Every structure is written in C-alpha cells, then in structure tokens.
Amino acid sequence: MMKLPHFTRRSALFAGAAVPFAVAQLPNTAGAEGHAADPQNAIQNTFEMGDMAVSTLLAGSRAVDNPQGIFGMNVSEEEFAAVSAANFLPTDQSQFYFTPTVVQTGTETVLFDAGPSAAGTTAALAQAGLAPDDIDVVVLTHMHGDHIGGLTNDAGDVTFSNARYVTGQAEFDHWAGLGNDGFEAKVRPLAEKMTFIADGGDVASGVTAMAAFGHTPGHMVYMLESGGKQVLLMADLANHYVWSLAYPEWEVRFDADKAAAAAARKTVLGMVAAEKMPLIGYHMPFPGVGYVEEVDAGRFRYVPVSYQLSL
C-alpha cells in the first residue's frame, strides 16, 4: 500500500456491499417542481486553508422517523434512549444533512460528491459564487444515490459538463457489476471521463485519497493539505455525530460491511483526534465541519467548528 505524505496512521482497509440512502429534499423548498427555480435555503460555508478555499454546501436536508431503525441497530432501546437523552436528541426523529464540498486549490476547482439532486447542489454552488461549468474535477467518494444524484438533472443532462471525474477503482467495479439503476443512469455514462484511484492516490495538488472501506466496498476519505494545515474530508465514514461518530461500533443500516465500517471509523477518527485536525462530514449538522476528541478507548466526541478556521 502506498504511503501517504506528511501524516501517519492513515490507512483503513476494509470491504463490503452497499445500500443507498434515499434521495433528500431541502426543507422549505418553494412548492413542487416547476414552482421555483432553485431551493430557497441552499447554504454555503467557506473558509481558507493555505492556498485553498474550502466551501461546504448544504444541498439537501430532511427529517427521518425512527432513528434506531438506522443507527445503533445492535444496542438496546434503553441504551439508545439514554445516549440520546444525554445529548438532547429525540428518539422519534433525526435530521439528515447532505453536504458536498468544493475545494478551490488555486489551480483547479474540485467538487466532492454531486449531492442528491442537480438543483440542490447547483443552487448551493451559486451561493458560493460558482457555476456548474466552473467545476474542473468531480470526486465521487462512493456511489450511494445521495452522492451521485446531482451528476445529471431531471432531463438527463450532465450537470458538470467541463469536469473530469475521479473515483475509487474498487468502488466503480463493485457498482458496475450490480445492475443498479442509479449507477447506470448517473455514473456509467461518464465512465470515459473517469480516472480511477486507490489508497494514496492524488486527485489534485494537496488532495490525497485514503481507503476507508466498509460503508461501501470502495468508500474513500480525502486529506486536504495546504499551507502546513490539514482537513480530513470523511464523506460517509460516520453518518451521525452521536449515533455513529461518538459510538463507532454502533451498527448503521446503510453500512454494507458493518464490522469493517466500525473498524474504519475507529482507525480514522482516532487519527483525527490524535492530530487535532478538523474534519468535514457529509452528514454532520451543517456546516458539516468540526473536531473529534477521543473520550475513551474507541469512543469519541464531536465538537462543531465555531470561529477556529476563520482566524
């Protein structure tokens, strides 16, 4: 396995199968399709890191019933309720967030994941001052529906027409053999524009792939590095800041290989906590940026960012 530059304890090698998230919708979207050009509450959050500008994009959000049908499937109702109460969380509903990230490296503009829909992602990009044609590279961390939905619009037109595409070889190969409708409609038509990478591969200057298999067979996280600073883009390594990140061994319905996903969480989160670097999570509460503290062996606490990255 290729050694990654400037950091250690960085590889999480795991495998499994996959179940996609349902497509999300932004709350407070004005009416049905055709009644509004864009979702009204598309939001972006931008910070600078060395020569990079990093923007997290709220491309969708929705409430979901019965959280323990998704998170903590291997713990008792009593334990789930106690942990939820300690974190001021209801047990009848959870709010899902869908947050692609765009990174301007100084030479290229790189979008990580396309979001659930083209409308949500392009509206959030516009809030960050970017048009779809400004995107030079689209990185697919994995191929669940809420990460590939925005690759084309409802008419089937390619959203990011000027981009090249990057994804993990293992991830693409897995989905290519499934006959999955989403993959066939959204991803396969772009295959000729795709570059396939493995653990340690470089996407662009300062952007390095790290294998973190388990959520899907080829799920990748990415290290962003510029000006002597680092941020980990963890994608779907953890899908909730308490019920997944804080308790990495709690099983998540959407993790294809649950044991591998738990091991990946513990390895990568342990590294992030030890090095006190910020991370970006696709499903963390918006703006999706925070820190991780290891509070016990294999247990963590998520600390949302406030002004640290603005100084």
Side-chain angles (χ1 to χ4, degrees):
M1 179 174 296
M2 188 178 297
K3 183 178 180 181
L4 301 183
H6 306 306
F7 40 87
T8 59
R9 305 185 303 282
R10 299 289 210 258
S11 293
L13 306 174
F14 312 100
V19 180
F21 269 99
V23 172
Q25 295 182 351
L26 285 162
N28 303 322
T29 298
E33 184 178 355
H35 292 185
D38 295 312
Q40 288 186 331
N41 69 334
I43 300 172
Q44 67 85 32
N45 179 76
T46 299
F47 62 91
E48 294 183 359
M49 185 181 73
D51 294 329
M52 290 181 175
V54 181
S55 301
T56 57
L57 311 171
L58 182 60
S61 183
R62 67 186 179 93
V64 178
D65 294 334
N66 186 25
Q68 201 179 1
I70 301 170
F71 304 104
M73 299 174 67
N74 58 332
V75 302
S76 68
E77 288 186 25
E78 292 76 13
E79 182 177 357
F80 187 86
V83 167
S84 300
N87 288 277
F88 303 94
L89 291 171
T91 58
D92 60 337
Q93 277 195 321
S94 177
Q95 189 74 24
F96 280 19
Y97 299 86
F98 303 84
T99 310
T101 296
V102 64
V103 177
Q104 295 172 273
T105 68
T107 57
E108 291 184 295
T109 300
V110 183
L111 176 66
F112 291 86
D113 293 320
S117 71
T121 300
T122 57
L125 277 169
Q127 294 281 327
L130 294 167
D133 288 351
D134 293 327
I135 302 301
D136 300 306
V137 187
V138 176
V139 178
L140 299 177
T141 62
H142 64 294
M143 296 184 185
H144 280 164
D146 56 320
H147 294 254
I148 64 172
L151 291 173
T152 60
N153 63 18
D154 291 342
D157 302 318
V158 174
T159 308
F160 309 105
S161 57
N162 294 334
R164 62 183 175 91
Y165 297 81
V166 178
T167 196
Q169 184 75 65
E171 184 73 2
F172 183 91
D173 291 347
H174 169 77
W175 289 92
L178 287 184
N180 176 270
D181 289 344
F183 174 88
E184 296 300 329
K186 300 286 186 176
V187 180
R188 194 182 292 279
L190 300 170
E192 291 185 358
K193 294 184 175 181
M194 284 193 174
T195 300
F196 302 105
I197 59 174
D199 182 67
D202 292 328
V203 172
S205 177
V207 181
T208 305
M210 297 167 51
F213 302 167
H215 182 63
T216 63
H219 179 269
M220 292 280 198
V221 300
Y222 289 85
M223 185 65 70
L224 311 178
E225 185 170 12
S226 182
K229 299 180 180 180
Q230 295 174 319
V231 173
L232 181 78
L233 195 153
M234 75 168 178
D236 280 19
L237 180 79
N239 298 117
H240 190 277
Y241 71 105
V242 174
W243 300 324
S244 180
L245 186 153
Y247 295 83
E249 293 187 347
W250 282 21
E251 291 184 356
V252 178
R253 190 173 99 204
F254 302 110
D255 288 342
D257 184 328
K258 292 174 174 51
R265 280 192 284 276
K266 288 190 285 188
T267 298
V268 176
L269 294 173
M271 175 271 293
V272 171
E275 301 193 14
K276 296 181 171 59
M277 71 174 65
L279 58 73
I280 297 170
Y282 191 82
H283 295 292
M284 296 297 101
F286 194 77
V289 188
Y291 296 86
V292 175
E293 177 191 13
E294 188 162 10
V295 296
D296 202 350
R299 277 204 43 220
F300 300 92
R301 181 173 73 101
Y302 180 70
V303 182
V305 73
S306 55
Y307 55 78
Q308 297 96 327
L309 302 179
S310 300
L311 299 176

